[in-house]
Amino acid sequence: MIKLESASQIPSEVQAIGFGVFSQGSTLEAGDKIDVSILKQVGFEAKLGQTYLMSPGQGSPVSIAIGLGDKSKFDLDALRKSGAAFIRASKNYTTVAIEIDLVEDDFGPQGFYQALGEGVLLGSYSFDTYRSNSQDNKVEKVFIKKAPQQALQKAELIAEAVYLARDLVNEPAGKLSPSHFAEIAQGLANEVLEVQVWDEQTIKDEKLGGVLAVSRGSFEPPRLIKMEYKPPTDIASVPSVVLVGKGITFDSGGLSLKSAEGMMTMKTDMSGGAAVVGAMSALAKLSLPVHVIAIVPVTENMPGGRATKPGDVFRARNGKTIEVLNTDAEGRLILADGLSLASEINPDAIIDLATLTGACVVALGREIAGVMGNNQSLVDQILKAAHSTGEACWQLPLPSQYRKHIESEIADMKNIGASGGQAGTLSAALLLEEFVGEQPWAHLDIAGPARSDNNEGYWTKGGSGFGVRLLIDLFESFTVPVKD
Ligand code: BES
Ligand code: MG
Ligand code: ZN
């Protein structure tokens, strides 16, 4: 990861310096270090994310104009995108600097420079494990003028958590088996972060029927990761939250096999679990005043000889039975057990993250997650965190009149909804609701944004780590949800 450093003056070793430029109608607004007339001549419009390298004078560093977009629309997410655009534009230099002090006063230096630092770090991520020639950005160090050291440290800490989640998602399923995922989680344990892993026998003893129904068709044994962050403060006086993440390390669809095309990106089907593990790794370092427990059921979904067959029925952890009519609707089966365990803990809130339905991608596209829940106060806190982190979420309903869509001929429910996939995201969420008790609960369907197909803004191609920053932001100001 690139090193961020605060500087009161730009050091002489710097090879390129980025300056922010706003557009205001047809005029450009820049500081006194940049000649706006040159930018106009070359057609630079200061659109958000646009950059322009200006040829340097003798011995001086290259100036990079960074488009900050329309001044009236500027916010911290625009700043993150600007940081990412800058670091991409300066990829051929090793030591660079940024000087953007046009608007800092509106946001406060801590939030402003943290967002800038996040943009730089998130935009320069790449997964190079399997490349002979690393495509790495060459930048090693970024000086950021006037940035409080604390803001940069926080950006680094958050980016580390996102990098961890992206690495987990990008790792091929042939390497990231359920047991390997669990080992990585185990490796994160420290004084304030306890990690426990259940093996297949424990999963059987604990009656996690959903996890077993999905893992049956796989050669790889399942795992359940349990992490607990206890804040340094009095644990009884802080809110408690249980996070549940979908950890399907590969989703072939099982006997209801996916198409070749549909399977291509299915190593990413553990993105919810990766976001939860990533967020937990950061919580411990931030000493946030919340008691958080994470539960990540981890398994492959494969069509082996012992695989669950369409029509089979199993009993989940909480005693309810599910008829499996489509083995590709497997996420809800492992979450049924995860949410049952979460409810037994009886926390102040339960939040799950899952790449659950293709229907959510149809409804909201690739950049917005669906959020559903049984408590508006909890959903509102999530929407607020989504807004401030740029990890966009849109609330969808949890309509009780559609409960009939998951009625089964022979069991308590079936694992698919109405024919033709009507409201497929909602029927999946309605099934999950059957496994939550009275506690406030919210479900994030991240099937769309868990992966990015482009290097755009601070997203990089592949696993996005979506959810990590949202969860951290949520816990920074979390309050016990008011009952509806
Ligand atoms: N992992 C998929 C959902 C998914 C699809 C995530 C595309 C990311 C991109 C999930 O397990 C699944 O296969 N869901 C089925 C459910 C259906 C069979 C009721 C789906 O969405 O098609
Ligand atoms: Mg599936
Ligand atoms: Zn899946």
Side-chain angles (χ1 to χ4, degrees), residues 174-206:
K175 174 91 181 291
L176 196 86
S177 60
S179 49
H180 187 51
F181 188 177
E183 274 165 23
I184 294 173
Q186 189 86 66
L188 299 170
N190 60 37
E191 307 85 64
V192 289
L193 190 63
E194 206 177 282
V195 183
Q196 217 189 330
V197 173
W198 289 2
D199 63 9
E200 188 166 25
Q201 189 54 52
T202 312
I203 287 171
K204 283 182 184 155
D205 296 345
E206 295 289 341

mmCIF file of all heavy atoms in Angstrom, residues 174-206:
data_model
loop_
_atom_site.group_PDB
_atom_site.id
_atom_site.type_symbol
_atom_site.label_atom_id
_atom_site.label_comp_id
_atom_site.label_asym_id
_atom_site.label_seq_id
_atom_site.Cartn_x
_atom_site.Cartn_y
_atom_site.Cartn_z
ATOM 1 N N GLY A 174 -10.252 -21.896 -6.095
ATOM 2 C CA GLY A 174 -9.392 -23.072 -5.977
ATOM 3 C C GLY A 174 -8.389 -22.923 -4.850
ATOM 4 O O GLY A 174 -7.877 -23.904 -4.297
ATOM 5 N N LYS A 175 -8.074 -21.707 -4.504
ATOM 6 C CA LYS A 175 -7.153 -21.426 -3.402
ATOM 7 C C LYS A 175 -7.932 -21.088 -2.136
ATOM 8 O O LYS A 175 -7.636 -21.581 -1.047
ATOM 9 C CB LYS A 175 -6.242 -20.258 -3.813
ATOM 10 C CG LYS A 175 -5.316 -19.727 -2.742
ATOM 11 C CD LYS A 175 -3.963 -20.436 -2.778
ATOM 12 C CE LYS A 175 -3.026 -19.935 -1.683
ATOM 13 N NZ LYS A 175 -2.606 -18.552 -1.933
ATOM 14 N N LEU A 176 -8.935 -20.223 -2.280
ATOM 15 C CA LEU A 176 -9.696 -19.801 -1.104
ATOM 16 C C LEU A 176 -10.843 -20.793 -0.829
ATOM 17 O O LEU A 176 -12.011 -20.502 -1.062
ATOM 18 C CB LEU A 176 -10.250 -18.381 -1.263
ATOM 19 C CG LEU A 176 -10.692 -17.785 0.086
ATOM 20 C CD1 LEU A 176 -9.522 -17.139 0.807
ATOM 21 C CD2 LEU A 176 -11.815 -16.773 -0.084
ATOM 22 N N SER A 177 -10.472 -21.952 -0.296
ATOM 23 C CA SER A 177 -11.472 -22.932 0.126
ATOM 24 C C SER A 177 -12.075 -22.432 1.437
ATOM 25 O O SER A 177 -11.531 -21.518 2.063
ATOM 26 C CB SER A 177 -10.779 -24.270 0.357
ATOM 27 O OG SER A 177 -9.793 -24.099 1.369
ATOM 28 N N PRO A 178 -13.173 -23.020 1.887
ATOM 29 C CA PRO A 178 -13.734 -22.616 3.179
ATOM 30 C C PRO A 178 -12.701 -22.698 4.312
ATOM 31 O O PRO A 178 -12.600 -21.780 5.130
ATOM 32 C CB PRO A 178 -14.884 -23.605 3.380
ATOM 33 C CG PRO A 178 -15.344 -23.903 1.983
ATOM 34 C CD PRO A 178 -14.078 -23.945 1.163
ATOM 35 N N SER A 179 -11.904 -23.759 4.329
ATOM 36 C CA SER A 179 -10.939 -23.878 5.430
ATOM 37 C C SER A 179 -9.838 -22.828 5.322
ATOM 38 O O SER A 179 -9.363 -22.300 6.334
ATOM 39 C CB SER A 179 -10.354 -25.287 5.510
ATOM 40 O OG SER A 179 -9.923 -25.689 4.237
ATOM 41 N N HIS A 180 -9.450 -22.472 4.104
ATOM 42 C CA HIS A 180 -8.420 -21.450 3.943
ATOM 43 C C HIS A 180 -8.951 -20.078 4.365
ATOM 44 O O HIS A 180 -8.251 -19.305 5.035
ATOM 45 C CB HIS A 180 -7.920 -21.425 2.493
ATOM 46 C CG HIS A 180 -6.741 -20.531 2.270
ATOM 47 N ND1 HIS A 180 -5.601 -20.607 3.047
ATOM 48 C CD2 HIS A 180 -6.536 -19.532 1.384
ATOM 49 C CE1 HIS A 180 -4.744 -19.675 2.636
ATOM 50 N NE2 HIS A 180 -5.286 -19.006 1.635
ATOM 51 N N PHE A 181 -10.185 -19.768 3.978
ATOM 52 C CA PHE A 181 -10.832 -18.518 4.395
ATOM 53 C C PHE A 181 -10.827 -18.445 5.936
ATOM 54 O O PHE A 181 -10.446 -17.425 6.537
ATOM 55 C CB PHE A 181 -12.267 -18.483 3.831
ATOM 56 C CG PHE A 181 -12.998 -17.172 4.003
ATOM 57 C CD1 PHE A 181 -14.282 -17.024 3.457
ATOM 58 C CD2 PHE A 181 -12.453 -16.079 4.675
ATOM 59 C CE1 PHE A 181 -14.993 -15.819 3.585
ATOM 60 C CE2 PHE A 181 -13.158 -14.868 4.805
ATOM 61 C CZ PHE A 181 -14.425 -14.759 4.275
ATOM 62 N N ALA A 182 -11.211 -19.543 6.554
ATOM 63 C CA ALA A 182 -11.276 -19.575 8.023
ATOM 64 C C ALA A 182 -9.892 -19.369 8.647
ATOM 65 O O ALA A 182 -9.748 -18.669 9.654
ATOM 66 C CB ALA A 182 -11.885 -20.892 8.485
ATOM 67 N N GLU A 183 -8.866 -19.955 8.014
ATOM 68 C CA GLU A 183 -7.495 -19.769 8.542
ATOM 69 C C GLU A 183 -7.079 -18.300 8.479
ATOM 70 O O GLU A 183 -6.422 -17.792 9.392
ATOM 71 C CB GLU A 183 -6.489 -20.580 7.710
ATOM 72 C CG GLU A 183 -6.347 -22.014 8.160
ATOM 73 C CD GLU A 183 -5.642 -22.864 7.097
ATOM 74 O OE1 GLU A 183 -4.907 -22.298 6.246
ATOM 75 O OE2 GLU A 183 -5.860 -24.090 7.113
ATOM 76 N N ILE A 184 -7.440 -17.635 7.390
ATOM 77 C CA ILE A 184 -7.093 -16.215 7.261
ATOM 78 C C ILE A 184 -7.781 -15.398 8.356
ATOM 79 O O ILE A 184 -7.169 -14.544 9.001
ATOM 80 C CB ILE A 184 -7.444 -15.686 5.847
ATOM 81 C CG1 ILE A 184 -6.555 -16.369 4.798
ATOM 82 C CG2 ILE A 184 -7.284 -14.161 5.763
ATOM 83 C CD1 ILE A 184 -6.912 -16.055 3.355
ATOM 84 N N ALA A 185 -9.049 -15.715 8.594
ATOM 85 C CA ALA A 185 -9.791 -15.012 9.656
ATOM 86 C C ALA A 185 -9.136 -15.273 11.014
ATOM 87 O O ALA A 185 -8.947 -14.358 11.828
ATOM 88 C CB ALA A 185 -11.244 -15.453 9.661
ATOM 89 N N GLN A 186 -8.761 -16.514 11.211
ATOM 90 C CA GLN A 186 -8.107 -16.896 12.476
ATOM 91 C C GLN A 186 -6.829 -16.075 12.700
ATOM 92 O O GLN A 186 -6.528 -15.662 13.809
ATOM 93 C CB GLN A 186 -7.758 -18.392 12.413
ATOM 94 C CG GLN A 186 -7.270 -18.987 13.709
ATOM 95 C CD GLN A 186 -8.429 -19.439 14.585
ATOM 96 O OE1 GLN A 186 -9.153 -20.369 14.241
ATOM 97 N NE2 GLN A 186 -8.620 -18.766 15.706
ATOM 98 N N GLY A 187 -6.132 -15.818 11.630
ATOM 99 C CA GLY A 187 -4.880 -15.067 11.691
ATOM 100 C C GLY A 187 -5.068 -13.613 12.109
ATOM 101 O O GLY A 187 -4.088 -12.933 12.427
ATOM 102 N N LEU A 188 -6.289 -13.121 12.133
ATOM 103 C CA LEU A 188 -6.541 -11.724 12.494
ATOM 104 C C LEU A 188 -6.747 -11.549 13.998
ATOM 105 O O LEU A 188 -6.886 -10.426 14.487
ATOM 106 C CB LEU A 188 -7.784 -11.198 11.761
ATOM 107 C CG LEU A 188 -7.732 -11.199 10.234
ATOM 108 C CD1 LEU A 188 -9.111 -10.899 9.649
ATOM 109 C CD2 LEU A 188 -6.726 -10.167 9.733
ATOM 110 N N ALA A 189 -6.799 -12.659 14.711
ATOM 111 C CA ALA A 189 -7.087 -12.587 16.150
ATOM 112 C C ALA A 189 -6.043 -11.764 16.890
ATOM 113 O O ALA A 189 -4.866 -11.789 16.553
ATOM 114 C CB ALA A 189 -7.136 -14.000 16.725
ATOM 115 N N ASN A 190 -6.495 -10.993 17.868
ATOM 116 C CA ASN A 190 -5.587 -10.265 18.766
ATOM 117 C C ASN A 190 -6.271 -10.048 20.116
ATOM 118 O O ASN A 190 -7.330 -10.630 20.370
ATOM 119 C CB ASN A 190 -5.119 -8.951 18.125
ATOM 120 C CG ASN A 190 -6.272 -8.018 17.815
ATOM 121 O OD1 ASN A 190 -7.232 -7.935 18.578
ATOM 122 N ND2 ASN A 190 -6.187 -7.325 16.695
ATOM 123 N N GLU A 191 -5.725 -9.168 20.944
ATOM 124 C CA GLU A 191 -6.255 -9.015 22.319
ATOM 125 C C GLU A 191 -7.709 -8.574 22.356
ATOM 126 O O GLU A 191 -8.441 -8.904 23.278
ATOM 127 C CB GLU A 191 -5.444 -8.001 23.137
ATOM 128 C CG GLU A 191 -3.951 -8.212 23.213
ATOM 129 C CD GLU A 191 -3.253 -7.602 22.014
ATOM 130 O OE1 GLU A 191 -3.314 -6.380 21.863
ATOM 131 O OE2 GLU A 191 -2.664 -8.365 21.231
ATOM 132 N N VAL A 192 -8.118 -7.776 21.368
ATOM 133 C CA VAL A 192 -9.504 -7.307 21.398
ATOM 134 C C VAL A 192 -10.393 -8.000 20.369
ATOM 135 O O VAL A 192 -11.585 -7.729 20.282
ATOM 136 C CB VAL A 192 -9.602 -5.760 21.203
ATOM 137 C CG1 VAL A 192 -9.086 -5.025 22.419
ATOM 138 C CG2 VAL A 192 -8.879 -5.339 19.942
ATOM 139 N N LEU A 193 -9.788 -8.878 19.571
ATOM 140 C CA LEU A 193 -10.553 -9.577 18.524
ATOM 141 C C LEU A 193 -10.382 -11.091 18.686
ATOM 142 O O LEU A 193 -9.323 -11.652 18.396
ATOM 143 C CB LEU A 193 -10.070 -9.126 17.143
ATOM 144 C CG LEU A 193 -10.900 -9.559 15.947
ATOM 145 C CD1 LEU A 193 -12.306 -8.980 15.994
ATOM 146 C CD2 LEU A 193 -10.219 -9.132 14.645
ATOM 147 N N GLU A 194 -11.465 -11.719 19.160
ATOM 148 C CA GLU A 194 -11.418 -13.159 19.379
ATOM 149 C C GLU A 194 -11.938 -13.858 18.128
ATOM 150 O O GLU A 194 -12.935 -13.420 17.549
ATOM 151 C CB GLU A 194 -12.364 -13.447 20.541
ATOM 152 C CG GLU A 194 -12.046 -14.678 21.333
ATOM 153 C CD GLU A 194 -13.045 -14.781 22.486
ATOM 154 O OE1 GLU A 194 -12.857 -14.041 23.487
ATOM 155 O OE2 GLU A 194 -13.992 -15.554 22.347
ATOM 156 N N VAL A 195 -11.269 -14.909 17.687
ATOM 157 C CA VAL A 195 -11.737 -15.631 16.498
ATOM 158 C C VAL A 195 -11.872 -17.113 16.829
ATOM 159 O O VAL A 195 -10.985 -17.719 17.434
ATOM 160 C CB VAL A 195 -10.765 -15.459 15.309
ATOM 161 C CG1 VAL A 195 -11.318 -16.163 14.067
ATOM 162 C CG2 VAL A 195 -10.517 -13.984 15.001
ATOM 163 N N GLN A 196 -13.009 -17.654 16.433
ATOM 164 C CA GLN A 196 -13.288 -19.066 16.676
ATOM 165 C C GLN A 196 -13.729 -19.665 15.351
ATOM 166 O O GLN A 196 -14.451 -19.012 14.594
ATOM 167 C CB GLN A 196 -14.472 -19.111 17.633
ATOM 168 C CG GLN A 196 -14.450 -20.186 18.671
ATOM 169 C CD GLN A 196 -15.808 -20.209 19.388
ATOM 170 O OE1 GLN A 196 -16.493 -19.207 19.523
ATOM 171 N NE2 GLN A 196 -16.190 -21.377 19.810
ATOM 172 N N VAL A 197 -13.285 -20.888 15.059
ATOM 173 C CA VAL A 197 -13.718 -21.519 13.810
ATOM 174 C C VAL A 197 -14.374 -22.861 14.126
ATOM 175 O O VAL A 197 -13.799 -23.677 14.848
ATOM 176 C CB VAL A 197 -12.529 -21.719 12.839
ATOM 177 C CG1 VAL A 197 -12.958 -22.527 11.620
ATOM 178 C CG2 VAL A 197 -11.955 -20.371 12.391
ATOM 179 N N TRP A 198 -15.568 -23.067 13.621
ATOM 180 C CA TRP A 198 -16.237 -24.365 13.770
ATOM 181 C C TRP A 198 -15.909 -25.220 12.563
ATOM 182 O O TRP A 198 -16.020 -24.775 11.420
ATOM 183 C CB TRP A 198 -17.755 -24.191 13.843
ATOM 184 C CG TRP A 198 -18.245 -23.570 15.111
ATOM 185 C CD1 TRP A 198 -17.489 -23.126 16.161
ATOM 186 C CD2 TRP A 198 -19.615 -23.294 15.453
ATOM 187 N NE1 TRP A 198 -18.310 -22.595 17.135
ATOM 188 C CE2 TRP A 198 -19.607 -22.684 16.729
ATOM 189 C CE3 TRP A 198 -20.840 -23.493 14.803
ATOM 190 C CZ2 TRP A 198 -20.786 -22.277 17.367
ATOM 191 C CZ3 TRP A 198 -22.006 -23.095 15.434
ATOM 192 C CH2 TRP A 198 -21.979 -22.504 16.708
ATOM 193 N N ASP A 199 -15.525 -26.490 12.813
ATOM 194 C CA ASP A 199 -15.271 -27.405 11.708
ATOM 195 C C ASP A 199 -16.562 -28.165 11.377
ATOM 196 O O ASP A 199 -17.605 -27.935 11.983
ATOM 197 C CB ASP A 199 -14.108 -28.353 12.034
ATOM 198 C CG ASP A 199 -14.421 -29.248 13.232
ATOM 199 O OD1 ASP A 199 -15.593 -29.248 13.702
ATOM 200 O OD2 ASP A 199 -13.512 -29.945 13.695
ATOM 201 N N GLU A 200 -16.472 -29.073 10.422
ATOM 202 C CA GLU A 200 -17.676 -29.761 9.947
ATOM 203 C C GLU A 200 -18.398 -30.509 11.067
ATOM 204 O O GLU A 200 -19.631 -30.472 11.153
ATOM 205 C CB GLU A 200 -17.295 -30.734 8.821
ATOM 206 C CG GLU A 200 -18.508 -31.342 8.153
ATOM 207 C CD GLU A 200 -18.177 -32.041 6.843
ATOM 208 O OE1 GLU A 200 -17.002 -32.479 6.674
ATOM 209 O OE2 GLU A 200 -19.074 -32.151 5.991
ATOM 210 N N GLN A 201 -17.607 -31.168 11.939
ATOM 211 C CA GLN A 201 -18.231 -31.936 13.020
ATOM 212 C C GLN A 201 -19.014 -31.007 13.950
ATOM 213 O O GLN A 201 -20.146 -31.304 14.338
ATOM 214 C CB GLN A 201 -17.153 -32.730 13.799
ATOM 215 C CG GLN A 201 -17.724 -33.728 14.789
ATOM 216 C CD GLN A 201 -18.735 -34.700 14.129
ATOM 217 O OE1 GLN A 201 -18.430 -35.323 13.114
ATOM 218 N NE2 GLN A 201 -19.956 -34.801 14.672
ATOM 219 N N THR A 202 -18.409 -29.870 14.292
ATOM 220 C CA THR A 202 -19.096 -28.910 15.176
ATOM 221 C C THR A 202 -20.346 -28.377 14.489
ATOM 222 O O THR A 202 -21.395 -28.213 15.114
ATOM 223 C CB THR A 202 -18.142 -27.749 15.537
ATOM 224 O OG1 THR A 202 -16.900 -28.312 15.930
ATOM 225 C CG2 THR A 202 -18.695 -26.886 16.656
ATOM 226 N N ILE A 203 -20.240 -28.118 13.184
ATOM 227 C CA ILE A 203 -21.394 -27.622 12.421
ATOM 228 C C ILE A 203 -22.540 -28.655 12.481
ATOM 229 O O ILE A 203 -23.708 -28.298 12.646
ATOM 230 C CB ILE A 203 -20.958 -27.307 10.968
ATOM 231 C CG1 ILE A 203 -20.111 -26.016 10.968
ATOM 232 C CG2 ILE A 203 -22.158 -27.149 10.038
ATOM 233 C CD1 ILE A 203 -19.419 -25.692 9.652
ATOM 234 N N LYS A 204 -22.179 -29.959 12.423
ATOM 235 C CA LYS A 204 -23.192 -31.030 12.562
ATOM 236 C C LYS A 204 -23.761 -31.038 13.971
ATOM 237 O O LYS A 204 -24.984 -31.071 14.162
ATOM 238 C CB LYS A 204 -22.570 -32.400 12.256
ATOM 239 C CG LYS A 204 -22.394 -32.643 10.775
ATOM 240 C CD LYS A 204 -21.824 -34.040 10.504
ATOM 241 C CE LYS A 204 -21.578 -34.211 9.011
ATOM 242 N NZ LYS A 204 -20.540 -35.212 8.714
ATOM 243 N N ASP A 205 -22.860 -30.984 14.962
ATOM 244 C CA ASP A 205 -23.303 -31.024 16.372
ATOM 245 C C ASP A 205 -24.215 -29.844 16.688
ATOM 246 O O ASP A 205 -25.145 -29.958 17.480
ATOM 247 C CB ASP A 205 -22.093 -30.986 17.323
ATOM 248 C CG ASP A 205 -21.209 -32.223 17.175
ATOM 249 O OD1 ASP A 205 -21.687 -33.216 16.562
ATOM 250 O OD2 ASP A 205 -20.047 -32.199 17.635
ATOM 251 N N GLU A 206 -23.924 -28.712 16.074
ATOM 252 C CA GLU A 206 -24.714 -27.489 16.338
ATOM 253 C C GLU A 206 -25.966 -27.403 15.454
ATOM 254 O O GLU A 206 -26.661 -26.396 15.446
ATOM 255 C CB GLU A 206 -23.840 -26.240 16.135
ATOM 256 C CG GLU A 206 -22.685 -26.119 17.133
ATOM 257 C CD GLU A 206 -23.158 -25.783 18.545
ATOM 258 O OE1 GLU A 206 -24.290 -25.295 18.715
ATOM 259 O OE2 GLU A 206 -22.372 -26.018 19.484
#
